[in-house]
Each structure stands twice: as structure tokens, then as C-alpha cells.
């Protein structure tokens, strides 16, 4: 029997016995991993990617539509910007707001009631006195309801606050 004590020859034989170093296994592993990656990309990635692309296209389309609408509305009404025109001290919206806020609650309720009924102040002035009194009574009733609601909210808040404090103490 022949015994080879040459360590270099033994290491070469051992290297060939390792499965990861076997040329056939390496080739099969490469082919398998390549085929697996190709199969995964062809099955899942394109389907998901097309859905993502469609969603991105819809988002881009919505932004484009919004931009076009904003540009069209800006071009159509250049005087209705928030910046006051030269020479004016307040914008129309600010003037409307200050006019509304300067009214008393009764005046606001009367204006709202007339708007709901489709009436103007001039039409009310031409009405018979009974109808004018009926409108005034409706305004008074709504004002009373509004005040009762405000009182109810203010009286409910301390009770709710005391309940919260009690629960917090527990």
C-alpha cells in the first residue's frame, strides 16, 4: 500500500472534496440562483411595479390638473388676490369680514334668516307690519336659542372639568 505524506497533494485532494468548490456544484448553484432571480423578477416585480407606476401616473395627473386649474383661475381673476390693490387699504374679503363682525348678533341672525327665506331688507320694508313683526319674532327666538346654547355650554364645561379632575385624582 502506498502512502503519500506530501501535504500539498493532500490539501489539493481535500479542496476538491469540498462541495462549494466542486465545479459542477458551483455551476448548478449559479444557474439555479440566476433562474430563481429571473423567475422572481418576471412574476412579482413587474406586476407590483406596473401598479406603482399607474398610481404614480394618477398622482402626477391630479397634480397637473390642479396646477392648470389654479393657473386658469389666477389668470381669469387677477384682482381677487389676497394682496390689496394699489391705493386700497383693505381687500374686498377683509371689508366683508369686518362688516360682518361689526354687526350685532341680532343683525347677523336677521341677515341669515332673510337669506334662508330668500328675502332682502328692501322687500321686508315693503311687507305689511304683521309679517315684519313675525320676522322680528323669529329673530328674537333664534337669538334666545343661541344664548341658551351658550349658557348650556358654559355650565356644562365646569361639570365636565370637575369630572375630569375627579378621574385624574383617582
Amino acid at each position: 500500500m502506498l502512502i503519500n505524506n506530501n501535504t500539498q497533494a493532500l490539501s489539493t485532494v481535500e479542496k476538491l472534496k469540498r462541495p462549494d468548490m466542486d465545479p459542477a456544484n458551483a455551476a448548478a448553484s449559479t444557474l439555479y440562483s440566476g433562474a430563481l432571480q429571473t423567475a422572481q423578477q418576471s412574476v412579482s416585480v413587474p406586476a407590483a411595479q406596473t401598479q406603482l407606476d399607474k398610481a404614480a401616473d394618477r398622482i402626477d395627473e391630479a397634480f397637473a390638473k390642479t396646477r392648470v386649474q389654479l393657473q386658469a383661475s389666477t389668470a381669469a381673476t387677477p384682482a381677487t388676490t389676497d394682496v390689496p390693490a394699489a391705493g386700497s387699504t383693505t381687500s374686498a374679503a377683509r371689508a366683508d369680514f369686518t362688516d360682518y363682525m361689526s354687526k350685532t348678533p341680532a343683525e347677523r341672525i336677521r341677515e341669515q334668516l332673510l337669506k334662508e327665506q330668500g328675502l332682502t331688507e328692501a322687500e321686508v320694508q315693503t311687507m305689511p307690519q304683521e309679517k315684519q313683526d313675525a320676522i322680528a319674532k323669529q329673530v328674537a327666538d333664534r337669538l334666545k336659542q343661541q344664548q341658551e346654547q351658550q349658557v348650556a355650554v358654559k355650565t356644562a364645561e365646569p361639570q365636565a372639568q370637575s369630572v375630569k379632575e375627579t378621574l385624574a385624582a383617582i
Side-chain angles (χ1 to χ4, degrees):
M1 179 164 164
L2 294 171
I3 297 178
N4 188 355
N5 287 334
N6 187 354
T7 56
Q8 185 177 7
L10 286 176
S11 67
T12 305
V13 172
E14 286 178 7
K15 284 183 184 178
L16 289 178
K17 289 183 180 178
R18 288 183 43 194
D20 60 339
M21 297 302 283
D22 184 25
N25 283 344
S29 175
T30 304
L31 287 175
Y32 177 75
S33 66
L36 182 63
Q37 288 175 354
T38 304
Q40 287 175 345
Q41 288 175 353
S42 66
V43 172
S44 63
V45 174
Q49 189 63 39
T50 55
Q51 290 176 353
L52 290 174
D53 289 343
K54 287 179 183 178
D57 289 343
R58 287 192 299 267
I59 291 170
D60 291 341
E61 182 180 353
F63 278 122
K65 285 181 181 178
T66 304
R67 184 176 180 190
V68 168
Q69 288 174 348
L70 288 173
Q71 287 174 345
S73 67
T74 304
T77 57
T80 59
T81 59
D82 290 340
V83 179
S88 71
T89 56
T90 59
S91 66
R94 185 177 295 189
D96 291 342
F97 177 73
T98 54
D99 289 344
Y100 179 79
M101 292 308 292
S102 65
K103 294 179 182 177
T104 64
E107 289 173 337
R108 291 181 200 159
I109 291 173
R110 180 179 173 92
E111 184 179 314
Q112 181 183 7
L113 182 68
L114 293 178
K115 187 182 284 185
E116 288 174 1
Q117 295 178 356
L119 299 172
T120 63
E121 195 65 41
E123 292 173 339
V124 172
Q125 295 300 324
T126 60
M127 289 181 171
Q129 189 63 35
E130 299 85 29
K131 289 186 178 182
Q132 290 181 13
D133 291 341
I135 291 174
K137 185 175 186 295
Q138 288 177 342
V139 170
D141 290 342
R142 284 195 183 182
L143 186 60
K144 185 177 178 182
Q145 287 175 352
Q146 186 180 26
Q147 289 174 346
E148 288 173 355
Q149 288 175 353
Q150 289 174 351
V151 168
V153 167
K154 288 184 180 180
T155 57
E157 285 178 6
Q159 293 172 354
Q161 187 67 23
S162 65
V163 170
K164 288 179 183 177
E165 290 172 358
T166 305
L167 290 175
I170 294 175

